[in-house]
Amino acid sequence: MKLIVSRLSGFCFGVERAMKMALQAAKRSSKDLYTLGPLIHNPQAVIYLESLGIQPKDRVEEIPRGTVIFRSHGISKKDLEKVKEKGLKIIDATCPIVKKAHHAAKFLDRNGYPLVIVGDPKHPEVEAIRSYLRQEAMVVESPEAITKMGNYKRLGVIAQTTQNFEVFKKVVKACLEKAVEVRVFNTICHATALRQKEAVEIARKVDCMIVIGGYESGNTQRLVHICREVQPKTYHIETPKDLNPSWFKNIKRVGLTTGASTPSWIAQEVEKEIRRRNPQ
Ligand code: F3S
């Protein structure tokens, strides 16, 4: 059995940067060190951080004192105000590419463009972007949502950084049917676009595709979705324990990729386990 492993697996730049900032902080002192929400959407990495004394808390109210690390998704306006009011020290690990999406959204909002965000309304990155806007943004996951809208004089469009470029293009096209003027900022992270493109290329060549990443990770779920469109035998796992031997029966080629928040040590363990169970 042949294994095709993605060259772009493991942490993306923003997650790697956030992890480094957290590890450096823990090295200085892990006393009263917190993250607001899990630092990354990967339970195994969060357990590792906890073992170093970095405690994830869901709400600012649960952080009594000390230092709070903002994760790569960014922080909402309300939470930022609460953190400042409490006088907590801040380590801002918001990904610079996510910050660019914030700037684009604010620019369009301040210049009077009703804003369409292509993304998941419940994702913390989208929630944070919306919280800084003066007008309520419309969050859509597909072009169908735009076709149901009324007509506008002008519209602004941005995307959650980990969205799929093809969906983004379709939404932009649908917006052109609804407004005379459409101003678009492509805020999709280049690293995500490349990872998705490579994953689809691999999925096309194999008989079974494995995507490794946290079950709660939006970018991993999106990878699973787009790989499944070209290879129905696409499976989402978190660790080697989730591998099912029946997936590999009569299979000649297996593809392997990861979400942007999957540590490369987990990807290596999965690769090792597949090779062990299915010697060439
Ligand atoms: Fe940043 Fe792109 Fe990763 S936006 S957090 S580098 S997926």
Side-chain angles (χ1 to χ4, degrees):
M1 194 194 73
K2 192 173 173 203
L3 194 58
I4 304 178
V5 182
S6 158
R7 287 179 295 109
L8 304 172
S9 51
F11 289 154
C12 64
F13 147 79
V15 170
E16 175 102 49
R17 179 176 171 272
M19 280 295 274
K20 257 191 205 154
M21 288 168 92
L23 296 178
Q24 279 165 1
K27 216 170 179 188
R28 289 193 294 273
S29 165
S30 61
K31 190 168 179 280
D32 297 324
L33 187 54
Y34 302 90
T35 60
L36 196 53
L39 185 68
I40 60 175
H41 279 152
N42 185 277
Q44 293 72 31
V46 172
I47 290 168
Y48 172 64
L49 291 171
E50 277 187 271
S51 75
L52 302 176
I54 304 171
Q55 303 170 56
K57 296 286 177 199
D58 289 330
R59 297 165 60 240
V60 180
E61 288 77 2
E62 296 167 38
I63 303 176
R65 67 192 80 77
T67 303
V68 57
I69 306 168
F70 297 164
R71 53 192 176 170
S72 54
H73 303 315
I75 183 168
S76 72
K77 190 176 177 199
K78 219 183 222 168
D79 280 341
L80 180 62
E81 283 164 2
K82 285 189 217 162
V83 165
K84 285 185 178 166
E85 254 165 45
K86 276 191 128 174
L88 300 170
K89 279 195 208 126
I90 294 172
I91 296 176
D92 186 0
T94 308
C95 175
I97 298 163
V98 172
K99 282 201 174 161
K100 273 193 191 165
H102 275 259
H103 293 316
K106 278 188 207 159
F107 173 86
L108 291 166
D109 182 56
R110 305 259 143 98
N111 284 284
Y113 291 83
L115 186 65
V116 173
I117 304 175
V118 184
D120 172 0
K122 291 197 190 102
H123 193 280
E125 180 187 319
V126 175
E127 285 176 348
I129 290 174
R130 291 174 91 177
S131 71
Y132 292 93
L133 305 177
R134 292 176 187 171
Q135 306 172 65
E136 197 52 54
M138 297 164 265
V139 184
V140 302
E141 292 184 276
S142 69
E144 286 73 42
I146 301 290
T147 47
K148 287 180 199 142
M149 278 173 21
N151 290 331
Y152 285 80
K153 221 167 158 182
R154 35 167 48 186
L155 279 173
V157 193
I158 68 150
Q160 183 185 338
T161 53
T162 51
Q163 278 297 306
N164 178 253
F165 186 54
E166 294 308 314
V167 174
F168 183 60
K169 281 197 293 190
K170 282 181 193 158
V171 172
V172 170
K173 198 169 162 233
C175 286
L176 286 167
E177 306 275 339
K178 294 286 172 182
V180 180
E181 184 189 348
V182 180
R183 186 116 191 229
V184 182
F185 284 89
N186 178 3
T187 50
I188 293 177
C189 166
H190 189 56
T192 300
L194 284 181
R195 189 183 293 251
Q196 290 178 350
K197 192 168 170 263
E198 194 212 21
V200 170
E201 278 164 14
I202 296 175
R204 277 208 182 98
K205 290 183 200 149
V206 296
D207 314 305
C208 161
M209 185 75 190
I210 307 289
V211 183
I212 314 161
Y215 291 129
E216 299 296 323
S217 156
N219 77 82
T220 309
Q221 288 167 0
R222 220 156 289 122
L223 268 183
V224 173
H225 180 75
I226 59 172
C227 287
R228 207 166 267 159
E229 278 178 342
V230 294
Q231 176 45 264
K233 285 184 184 159
T234 294
Y235 304 105
H236 181 178
I237 64 164
E238 261 186 9
T239 70
K241 284 195 200 109
D242 305 326
L243 288 168
N244 183 334
S246 70
W247 299 340
F248 306 105
K249 265 188 203 150
N250 306 321
I251 292 290
K252 287 202 181 101
R253 286 179 303 264
V254 174
L256 205 61
T257 189
T258 78
S261 47
T262 308
S264 41
W265 51 268
I266 297 185
Q268 283 156 12
E269 279 176 10
V270 171
E271 185 181 341
K272 223 166 118 189
E273 185 58 18
I274 295 176
R275 288 195 194 281
R276 190 187 66 78
R277 291 192 202 180
N278 305 280
Q280 307 253 346

